[in-house]
Amino acid sequence: MYIIIVGLGGIGRSLVKQAVEHGNNVVVIDHEEARCSEILEHYDILAITGNATDKSTLEEAGIDRTDAFVATTSDDAVNLMTCWLAKRFHVPTVVAIVNQSAHAEFFKEVGVRISENPDDLVASRLYYWTENPQLQQLASIPGGSIFEIVADEGAPIVGHEIHELKVKDFVFIAIRRVGGSLIIPSGNVRIQAGDTFTVFTKKRPRTTACGS
């Protein structure tokens, strides 16, 4: 996949790392030459120093053959403009960070897939952990959350089959057993100590369900 990433802040650099590790062809655009030089010391990619809202810069980056375009700067105006241009070039997948939630509708009107302010996401995740220290939230989606929880040794659910559990508004998606085996949950699966559950819940989960 051919990916253009705009912005080499913390998110942009992390995205470059993941994209390269997955074997993609990556081009980055940043207005700071030092950032472009630094990223080239670590990855075999194309780094362009320039203004991503400039059509000629995008053409130099290969926008006409791009499969995915991601805007990660801290400036919503820059992100929106670059995404609008990417849409004009008919890039199939256009994604952006939205730093201020009030701007989200502008991106949606352009047809951009958005991610919330990363600082807010991190803050929400940290607060979630303070309330639910035994849970690892994987995603928050409309109507509920997807999370992981481990059945500790001595937890009340260990030794019971799933159909025996008296829980409401929970859907067991998968169970990862010690040793790495993945189990698709059914009512007669007996829970073992160390099992890691991936669960969807419509309500805020309580840590007393599986904890010791």
Side-chain angles (χ1 to χ4, degrees):
M1 186 163 59
Y2 193 96
I3 304 174
I4 293 178
I5 298 170
V6 177
L8 282 173
I11 294 173
R13 292 194 301 272
S14 295
L15 185 57
V16 168
K17 179 178 184 294
Q18 292 190 35
V20 170
E21 288 177 349
H22 283 81
N24 298 288
N25 294 317
V26 179
V27 180
V28 296
I29 304 172
D30 195 277
H31 66 281
E32 292 189 17
E33 184 176 358
R35 285 182 172 182
C36 291
S37 298
E38 192 274 337
I39 202 74
L40 289 175
E41 294 177 2
H42 301 280
Y43 304 105
D44 183 17
I45 61 175
L46 174 61
I48 298 174
T49 303
N51 184 354
T53 63
D54 189 330
K55 181 181 175 182
S56 62
T57 301
L58 295 179
E59 289 175 336
E60 181 183 354
I63 190 70
D64 57 333
R65 61 181 184 276
T66 298
D67 299 301
F69 183 95
V70 189
T72 72
T73 80
S74 58
D75 188 328
D76 283 346
V78 171
N79 290 344
L80 182 60
M81 183 62 182
T82 58
C83 288
W84 179 78
L85 288 169
K87 282 289 187 179
R88 291 290 299 271
F89 278 96
H90 307 291
V91 176
T93 302
V94 181
V95 185
I97 290 293
V98 177
N99 298 282
Q100 297 184 42
S101 58
H103 298 158
E105 289 302 319
F106 297 119
F107 287 84
K108 292 177 182 178
E109 288 176 8
V110 176
V112 178
R113 187 169 186 176
I114 63 175
S115 177
E116 300 174 44
N117 184 321
D119 292 337
D120 289 343
L121 290 175
V122 171
S124 296
R125 178 66 59 85
L126 293 174
Y127 184 75
Y128 180 90
W129 284 339
T130 66
E131 289 194 321
N132 304 276
Q134 293 175 312
L135 303 184
Q136 170 68 47
Q137 187 178 19
L138 302 181
S140 179
I141 59 179
S145 298
I146 298 174
F147 65 96
E148 281 189 346
I149 185 169
V150 178
D152 296 329
E153 185 73 43
I157 65 169
V158 172
H160 291 274
E161 295 183 352
I162 289 179
H163 71 88
E164 298 175 330
L165 303 182
K166 296 180 180 180
V167 293
K168 296 180 179 180
D169 298 313
F170 278 72
V171 177
F172 289 84
I173 300 172
I175 300 174
R176 188 170 68 251
R177 188 142 283 173
V178 175
S181 59
L182 188 66
I183 300 171
I184 303 302
S186 62
N188 62 354
V189 170
R190 189 171 298 277
I191 298 167
Q192 298 181 9
D195 283 350
T196 299
F197 299 91
T198 303
V199 181
F200 170 78
T201 178
K202 293 181 180 179
K203 297 181 179 180
R204 176 174 291 184
R206 297 179 62 88
T207 60
T208 54
C210 297
S212 55

PDB file of all heavy atoms in Angstrom, residues 127-148:
ATOM      1  N   TYR A 127      -8.201   7.606  32.908  1.00  0.00           N
ATOM      2  CA  TYR A 127      -9.257   7.694  33.909  1.00  0.00           C
ATOM      3  C   TYR A 127     -10.032   6.387  33.992  1.00  0.00           C
ATOM      4  O   TYR A 127     -10.414   5.935  35.080  1.00  0.00           O
ATOM      5  CB  TYR A 127     -10.213   8.844  33.582  1.00  0.00           C
ATOM      6  CG  TYR A 127     -11.267   9.031  34.640  1.00  0.00           C
ATOM      7  CD1 TYR A 127     -10.942   9.612  35.870  1.00  0.00           C
ATOM      8  CD2 TYR A 127     -12.571   8.596  34.441  1.00  0.00           C
ATOM      9  CE1 TYR A 127     -11.898   9.757  36.857  1.00  0.00           C
ATOM     10  CE2 TYR A 127     -13.529   8.738  35.419  1.00  0.00           C
ATOM     11  CZ  TYR A 127     -13.191   9.328  36.627  1.00  0.00           C
ATOM     12  OH  TYR A 127     -14.130   9.464  37.596  1.00  0.00           O
ATOM     13  N   TYR A 128     -10.247   5.748  32.836  1.00  0.00           N
ATOM     14  CA  TYR A 128     -10.931   4.455  32.810  1.00  0.00           C
ATOM     15  C   TYR A 128     -10.177   3.441  33.660  1.00  0.00           C
ATOM     16  O   TYR A 128     -10.761   2.689  34.439  1.00  0.00           O
ATOM     17  CB  TYR A 128     -11.030   3.972  31.364  1.00  0.00           C
ATOM     18  CG  TYR A 128     -11.726   2.641  31.200  1.00  0.00           C
ATOM     19  CD1 TYR A 128     -13.097   2.572  31.013  1.00  0.00           C
ATOM     20  CD2 TYR A 128     -11.001   1.453  31.219  1.00  0.00           C
ATOM     21  CE1 TYR A 128     -13.733   1.354  30.858  1.00  0.00           C
ATOM     22  CE2 TYR A 128     -11.631   0.234  31.063  1.00  0.00           C
ATOM     23  CZ  TYR A 128     -12.999   0.192  30.875  1.00  0.00           C
ATOM     24  OH  TYR A 128     -13.615  -1.023  30.727  1.00  0.00           O
ATOM     25  N   TRP A 129      -8.857   3.448  33.550  1.00  0.00           N
ATOM     26  CA  TRP A 129      -8.054   2.495  34.324  1.00  0.00           C
ATOM     27  C   TRP A 129      -8.104   2.794  35.819  1.00  0.00           C
ATOM     28  O   TRP A 129      -8.004   1.885  36.636  1.00  0.00           O
ATOM     29  CB  TRP A 129      -6.609   2.505  33.837  1.00  0.00           C
ATOM     30  CG  TRP A 129      -6.423   1.775  32.552  1.00  0.00           C
ATOM     31  CD1 TRP A 129      -7.242   0.824  32.012  1.00  0.00           C
ATOM     32  CD2 TRP A 129      -5.353   1.940  31.622  1.00  0.00           C
ATOM     33  NE1 TRP A 129      -6.745   0.392  30.804  1.00  0.00           N
ATOM     34  CE2 TRP A 129      -5.593   1.059  30.540  1.00  0.00           C
ATOM     35  CE3 TRP A 129      -4.227   2.755  31.592  1.00  0.00           C
ATOM     36  CZ2 TRP A 129      -4.737   0.968  29.453  1.00  0.00           C
ATOM     37  CZ3 TRP A 129      -3.377   2.653  30.514  1.00  0.00           C
ATOM     38  CH2 TRP A 129      -3.625   1.772  29.453  1.00  0.00           C
ATOM     39  N   THR A 130      -8.228   4.072  36.191  1.00  0.00           N
ATOM     40  CA  THR A 130      -8.315   4.369  37.618  1.00  0.00           C
ATOM     41  C   THR A 130      -9.587   3.802  38.226  1.00  0.00           C
ATOM     42  O   THR A 130      -9.606   3.409  39.390  1.00  0.00           O
ATOM     43  CB  THR A 130      -8.284   5.893  37.881  1.00  0.00           C
ATOM     44  OG1 THR A 130      -9.457   6.507  37.334  1.00  0.00           O
ATOM     45  CG2 THR A 130      -7.034   6.526  37.301  1.00  0.00           C
ATOM     46  N   GLU A 131     -10.652   3.732  37.429  1.00  0.00           N
ATOM     47  CA  GLU A 131     -11.918   3.197  37.919  1.00  0.00           C
ATOM     48  C   GLU A 131     -11.991   1.681  37.760  1.00  0.00           C
ATOM     49  O   GLU A 131     -12.709   1.006  38.495  1.00  0.00           O
ATOM     50  CB  GLU A 131     -13.091   3.831  37.171  1.00  0.00           C
ATOM     51  CG  GLU A 131     -13.326   5.289  37.511  1.00  0.00           C
ATOM     52  CD  GLU A 131     -14.672   5.762  37.005  1.00  0.00           C
ATOM     53  OE1 GLU A 131     -15.065   5.360  35.895  1.00  0.00           O
ATOM     54  OE2 GLU A 131     -15.333   6.516  37.736  1.00  0.00           O
ATOM     55  N   ASN A 132     -11.290   1.143  36.745  1.00  0.00           N
ATOM     56  CA  ASN A 132     -11.363  -0.283  36.426  1.00  0.00           C
ATOM     57  C   ASN A 132      -9.958  -0.843  36.270  1.00  0.00           C
ATOM     58  O   ASN A 132      -9.524  -1.164  35.158  1.00  0.00           O
ATOM     59  CB  ASN A 132     -12.155  -0.493  35.124  1.00  0.00           C
ATOM     60  CG  ASN A 132     -13.538   0.101  35.187  1.00  0.00           C
ATOM     61  OD1 ASN A 132     -14.477  -0.500  35.688  1.00  0.00           O
ATOM     62  ND2 ASN A 132     -13.673   1.322  34.670  1.00  0.00           N
ATOM     63  N   PRO A 133      -9.193  -0.974  37.352  1.00  0.00           N
ATOM     64  CA  PRO A 133      -7.784  -1.347  37.232  1.00  0.00           C
ATOM     65  C   PRO A 133      -7.544  -2.734  36.667  1.00  0.00           C
ATOM     66  O   PRO A 133      -6.451  -3.014  36.191  1.00  0.00           O
ATOM     67  CB  PRO A 133      -7.269  -1.242  38.680  1.00  0.00           C
ATOM     68  CG  PRO A 133      -8.489  -1.369  39.532  1.00  0.00           C
ATOM     69  CD  PRO A 133      -9.591  -0.733  38.746  1.00  0.00           C
ATOM     70  N   GLN A 134      -8.545  -3.620  36.717  1.00  0.00           N
ATOM     71  CA  GLN A 134      -8.342  -4.975  36.214  1.00  0.00           C
ATOM     72  C   GLN A 134      -8.690  -5.113  34.734  1.00  0.00           C
ATOM     73  O   GLN A 134      -8.489  -6.167  34.147  1.00  0.00           O
ATOM     74  CB  GLN A 134      -9.179  -5.971  37.023  1.00  0.00           C
ATOM     75  CG  GLN A 134      -8.721  -6.114  38.475  1.00  0.00           C
ATOM     76  CD  GLN A 134      -9.660  -7.011  39.255  1.00  0.00           C
ATOM     77  OE1 GLN A 134     -10.868  -6.862  39.200  1.00  0.00           O
ATOM     78  NE2 GLN A 134      -9.096  -7.946  39.993  1.00  0.00           N
ATOM     79  N   LEU A 135      -9.255  -4.056  34.146  1.00  0.00           N
ATOM     80  CA  LEU A 135      -9.719  -4.143  32.770  1.00  0.00           C
ATOM     81  C   LEU A 135      -8.776  -3.410  31.824  1.00  0.00           C
ATOM     82  O   LEU A 135      -8.185  -2.403  32.169  1.00  0.00           O
ATOM     83  CB  LEU A 135     -11.122  -3.536  32.633  1.00  0.00           C
ATOM     84  CG  LEU A 135     -12.213  -4.138  33.519  1.00  0.00           C
ATOM     85  CD1 LEU A 135     -13.540  -3.474  33.179  1.00  0.00           C
ATOM     86  CD2 LEU A 135     -12.305  -5.631  33.342  1.00  0.00           C
ATOM     87  N   GLN A 136      -8.689  -3.934  30.609  1.00  0.00           N
ATOM     88  CA  GLN A 136      -7.929  -3.291  29.548  1.00  0.00           C
ATOM     89  C   GLN A 136      -8.923  -2.940  28.446  1.00  0.00           C
ATOM     90  O   GLN A 136      -9.369  -3.817  27.704  1.00  0.00           O
ATOM     91  CB  GLN A 136      -6.857  -4.233  29.016  1.00  0.00           C
ATOM     92  CG  GLN A 136      -6.168  -3.754  27.740  1.00  0.00           C
ATOM     93  CD  GLN A 136      -5.322  -2.527  27.984  1.00  0.00           C
ATOM     94  OE1 GLN A 136      -4.566  -2.472  28.931  1.00  0.00           O
ATOM     95  NE2 GLN A 136      -5.438  -1.547  27.130  1.00  0.00           N
ATOM     96  N   GLN A 137      -9.311  -1.675  28.347  1.00  0.00           N
ATOM     97  CA  GLN A 137     -10.266  -1.271  27.331  1.00  0.00           C
ATOM     98  C   GLN A 137      -9.584  -1.260  25.978  1.00  0.00           C
ATOM     99  O   GLN A 137      -8.513  -0.690  25.801  1.00  0.00           O
ATOM    100  CB  GLN A 137     -10.829   0.111  27.638  1.00  0.00           C
ATOM    101  CG  GLN A 137     -11.954   0.511  26.685  1.00  0.00           C
ATOM    102  CD  GLN A 137     -12.535   1.867  27.036  1.00  0.00           C
ATOM    103  OE1 GLN A 137     -11.920   2.657  27.729  1.00  0.00           O
ATOM    104  NE2 GLN A 137     -13.729   2.133  26.552  1.00  0.00           N
ATOM    105  N   LEU A 138     -10.214  -1.932  25.003  1.00  0.00           N
ATOM    106  CA  LEU A 138      -9.660  -1.986  23.660  1.00  0.00           C
ATOM    107  C   LEU A 138     -10.258  -0.918  22.760  1.00  0.00           C
ATOM    108  O   LEU A 138      -9.575  -0.361  21.909  1.00  0.00           O
ATOM    109  CB  LEU A 138      -9.908  -3.371  23.039  1.00  0.00           C
ATOM    110  CG  LEU A 138      -9.335  -4.558  23.812  1.00  0.00           C
ATOM    111  CD1 LEU A 138      -9.647  -5.842  23.073  1.00  0.00           C
ATOM    112  CD2 LEU A 138      -7.838  -4.406  24.016  1.00  0.00           C
ATOM    113  N   ALA A 139     -11.562  -0.658  22.928  1.00  0.00           N
ATOM    114  CA  ALA A 139     -12.224   0.319  22.074  1.00  0.00           C
ATOM    115  C   ALA A 139     -13.515   0.764  22.717  1.00  0.00           C
ATOM    116  O   ALA A 139     -14.168  -0.002  23.429  1.00  0.00           O
ATOM    117  CB  ALA A 139     -12.505  -0.277  20.692  1.00  0.00           C
ATOM    118  N   SER A 140     -13.870   2.013  22.431  1.00  0.00           N
ATOM    119  CA  SER A 140     -15.161   2.535  22.829  1.00  0.00           C
ATOM    120  C   SER A 140     -15.938   2.790  21.551  1.00  0.00           C
ATOM    121  O   SER A 140     -15.476   3.515  20.672  1.00  0.00           O
ATOM    122  CB  SER A 140     -15.005   3.830  23.630  1.00  0.00           C
ATOM    123  OG  SER A 140     -16.267   4.347  23.986  1.00  0.00           O
ATOM    124  N   ILE A 141     -17.104   2.160  21.419  1.00  0.00           N
ATOM    125  CA  ILE A 141     -17.891   2.269  20.205  1.00  0.00           C
ATOM    126  C   ILE A 141     -19.300   2.673  20.577  1.00  0.00           C
ATOM    127  O   ILE A 141     -19.705   2.543  21.737  1.00  0.00           O
ATOM    128  CB  ILE A 141     -17.910   0.931  19.425  1.00  0.00           C
ATOM    129  CG1 ILE A 141     -18.494  -0.191  20.296  1.00  0.00           C
ATOM    130  CG2 ILE A 141     -16.515   0.560  18.953  1.00  0.00           C
ATOM    131  CD1 ILE A 141     -18.573  -1.527  19.580  1.00  0.00           C
ATOM    132  N   PRO A 142     -20.068   3.190  19.615  1.00  0.00           N
ATOM    133  CA  PRO A 142     -21.434   3.591  19.938  1.00  0.00           C
ATOM    134  C   PRO A 142     -22.211   2.441  20.584  1.00  0.00           C
ATOM    135  O   PRO A 142     -22.278   1.349  20.058  1.00  0.00           O
ATOM    136  CB  PRO A 142     -22.021   3.946  18.559  1.00  0.00           C
ATOM    137  CG  PRO A 142     -20.838   4.374  17.755  1.00  0.00           C
ATOM    138  CD  PRO A 142     -19.713   3.481  18.216  1.00  0.00           C
ATOM    139  N   GLY A 143     -22.753   2.699  21.757  1.00  0.00           N
ATOM    140  CA  GLY A 143     -23.552   1.690  22.438  1.00  0.00           C
ATOM    141  C   GLY A 143     -22.814   0.877  23.465  1.00  0.00           C
ATOM    142  O   GLY A 143     -23.433   0.109  24.206  1.00  0.00           O
ATOM    143  N   GLY A 144     -21.495   1.019  23.545  1.00  0.00           N
ATOM    144  CA  GLY A 144     -20.784   0.213  24.528  1.00  0.00           C
ATOM    145  C   GLY A 144     -19.288   0.257  24.369  1.00  0.00           C
ATOM    146  O   GLY A 144     -18.741   1.135  23.710  1.00  0.00           O
ATOM    147  N   SER A 145     -18.618  -0.738  24.968  1.00  0.00           N
ATOM    148  CA  SER A 145     -17.158  -0.814  24.940  1.00  0.00           C
ATOM    149  C   SER A 145     -16.712  -2.247  24.702  1.00  0.00           C
ATOM    150  O   SER A 145     -17.413  -3.194  25.056  1.00  0.00           O
ATOM    151  CB  SER A 145     -16.561  -0.322  26.267  1.00  0.00           C
ATOM    152  OG  SER A 145     -16.876   1.028  26.502  1.00  0.00           O
ATOM    153  N   ILE A 146     -15.542  -2.377  24.096  1.00  0.00           N
ATOM    154  CA  ILE A 146     -14.893  -3.671  23.958  1.00  0.00           C
ATOM    155  C   ILE A 146     -13.683  -3.650  24.882  1.00  0.00           C
ATOM    156  O   ILE A 146     -12.894  -2.709  24.854  1.00  0.00           O
ATOM    157  CB  ILE A 146     -14.452  -3.936  22.511  1.00  0.00           C
ATOM    158  CG1 ILE A 146     -15.675  -3.973  21.583  1.00  0.00           C
ATOM    159  CG2 ILE A 146     -13.680  -5.250  22.411  1.00  0.00           C
ATOM    160  CD1 ILE A 146     -15.324  -4.086  20.113  1.00  0.00           C
ATOM    161  N   PHE A 147     -13.553  -4.667  25.727  1.00  0.00           N
ATOM    162  CA  PHE A 147     -12.456  -4.668  26.678  1.00  0.00           C
ATOM    163  C   PHE A 147     -11.943  -6.077  26.905  1.00  0.00           C
ATOM    164  O   PHE A 147     -12.548  -7.067  26.484  1.00  0.00           O
ATOM    165  CB  PHE A 147     -12.892  -4.043  28.013  1.00  0.00           C
ATOM    166  CG  PHE A 147     -13.965  -4.816  28.740  1.00  0.00           C
ATOM    167  CD1 PHE A 147     -13.640  -5.723  29.727  1.00  0.00           C
ATOM    168  CD2 PHE A 147     -15.302  -4.620  28.437  1.00  0.00           C
ATOM    169  CE1 PHE A 147     -14.613  -6.433  30.402  1.00  0.00           C
ATOM    170  CE2 PHE A 147     -16.295  -5.330  29.106  1.00  0.00           C
ATOM    171  CZ  PHE A 147     -15.952  -6.238  30.088  1.00  0.00           C
ATOM    172  N   GLU A 148     -10.791  -6.173  27.545  1.00  0.00           N
ATOM    173  CA  GLU A 148     -10.203  -7.459  27.921  1.00  0.00           C
ATOM    174  C   GLU A 148     -10.161  -7.554  29.434  1.00  0.00           C
ATOM    175  O   GLU A 148      -9.945  -6.557  30.122  1.00  0.00           O
ATOM    176  CB  GLU A 148      -8.781  -7.601  27.372  1.00  0.00           C
ATOM    177  CG  GLU A 148      -8.718  -7.966  25.913  1.00  0.00           C
ATOM    178  CD  GLU A 148      -7.307  -8.312  25.465  1.00  0.00           C
ATOM    179  OE1 GLU A 148      -6.346  -8.008  26.208  1.00  0.00           O
ATOM    180  OE2 GLU A 148      -7.152  -8.879  24.373  1.00  0.00           O
TER     181      GLU A 148
END
